[in-house]
Amino acid sequence: MNRPKFISGFAEEINRYLDYKTASGYKESSFTFILRQFDRFCAGRGIRDVSFSKEDADAWSEKKETEASTSHYARVNKVKCFLKYLGLKGYGVYLMHDVFFRATDFQPHIYTDDEILRYFHAVDTYTSGRSRMDAVQFPVLFRLLYCCGTRINETLGIKRKMLTLKTGS
C-alpha cells in the first residue's frame, strides 16, 4: 500500500505509529484512512508540533451531521489509541473521552422486483451534461454496488491495476 504523505505536526509520529501497528500484525489500511483525516484536521487547525489540546479534542470528537454512529466511534477511538501511544512516548497530548457505539434502529429496505427494474432503467437512461463518460461509467458503478454489495467508497477505490480482466478477477 502506498502510504499517503502526512502534512501536520504529527506527520513523523503518524508514520512511526503505522510502522508499529503493522509490525504488531495489523493491516496498515485499517488505520491509514482515519489517521489521514486526523492529519488534515490538525493541519487545518494549524497544529505544527506534536500537541493536542482539549479544544482540539472536543472539535475532533464532535459527531459530523452525515456520520453514522459506527463511523464516529471508529474515527474518535482510533485516534484516541494514537494519542495514547504519543502519551506513552512522553508527549503532552490531551486524551479525549471514549465514544461508545450506539445501536440504531436502522432497518434495511428490501427492493421489490419492480423497484430493481426501475432502478436500473433510471441508471441506464441517465444523461449528463457534465461528461459523456457518465453514460458508460454510471451503469457499471451502480451494478457493482448492487451486485457485489460493496460500499460506495470501496467501489470507487477499485483501481485498474487491482483487476485481471482476462480471468475475471
Side-chain angles (χ1 to χ4, degrees):
M1 173 181 184
N2 291 337
R3 189 177 285 178
K5 183 178 182 201
F6 299 106
I7 57 173
S8 73
F10 288 96
E12 193 173 313
E13 287 299 338
I14 289 173
N15 282 311
R16 287 185 182 137
Y17 182 70
L18 288 171
D19 291 341
Y20 164 72
K21 293 307 269 186
T22 54
S24 300
Y26 292 94
K27 288 186 177 181
E28 184 171 317
S29 60
S30 65
F31 293 89
T32 303
F33 179 75
I34 288 173
L35 289 173
R36 187 172 185 197
Q37 282 182 322
F38 177 72
D39 182 63
R40 288 178 178 167
F41 167 83
C42 292
R45 289 183 71 86
I47 299 173
R48 304 275 180 248
D49 57 358
V50 182
S51 64
F52 201 67
S53 68
K54 181 182 183 328
E55 292 76 27
D56 296 326
D58 289 343
W60 176 257
S61 298
E62 191 173 309
K63 188 175 183 294
K64 298 174 185 174
E65 190 175 303
T66 58
E67 192 173 43
S69 60
T70 53
S71 299
H72 180 234
Y73 170 84
R75 180 175 60 82
V76 172
N77 289 337
K78 281 193 177 183
V79 166
K80 184 176 180 182
C81 290
F82 171 62
L83 294 172
K84 282 182 182 179
Y85 163 85
L86 293 176
L88 292 171
K89 290 183 78 175
Y91 289 104
V93 291
Y94 180 83
L95 288 181
M96 58 197 106
H97 298 289
D98 285 333
V99 172
F100 297 101
F101 174 73
R102 290 183 177 87
T104 66
D105 58 356
F106 171 77
Q107 292 292 315
H109 175 77
I110 308 300
Y111 290 98
T112 66
D113 290 342
D114 181 58
E115 287 173 320
I116 294 168
L117 288 173
R118 289 186 291 130
Y119 169 85
F120 284 114
H121 176 73
V123 169
D124 292 340
T125 58
Y126 175 78
T127 57
S128 169
R130 189 181 66 140
S131 171
R132 291 184 307 161
M133 288 302 294
D134 288 350
V136 175
Q137 293 171 343
F138 285 174
V140 173
L141 170 71
F142 284 93
R143 279 172 174 76
L144 278 169
L145 291 167
Y146 176 79
C147 296
C148 298
T150 58
R151 296 182 176 108
I152 187 69
N153 63 328
E154 295 167 333
T155 304
L156 294 175
I158 297 171
K159 307 288 183 225
R160 177 182 267 162
K161 65 183 177 186
M162 298 174 170
L163 305 173
T164 309
L165 297 178
K166 288 181 182 177
T167 62
S169 60

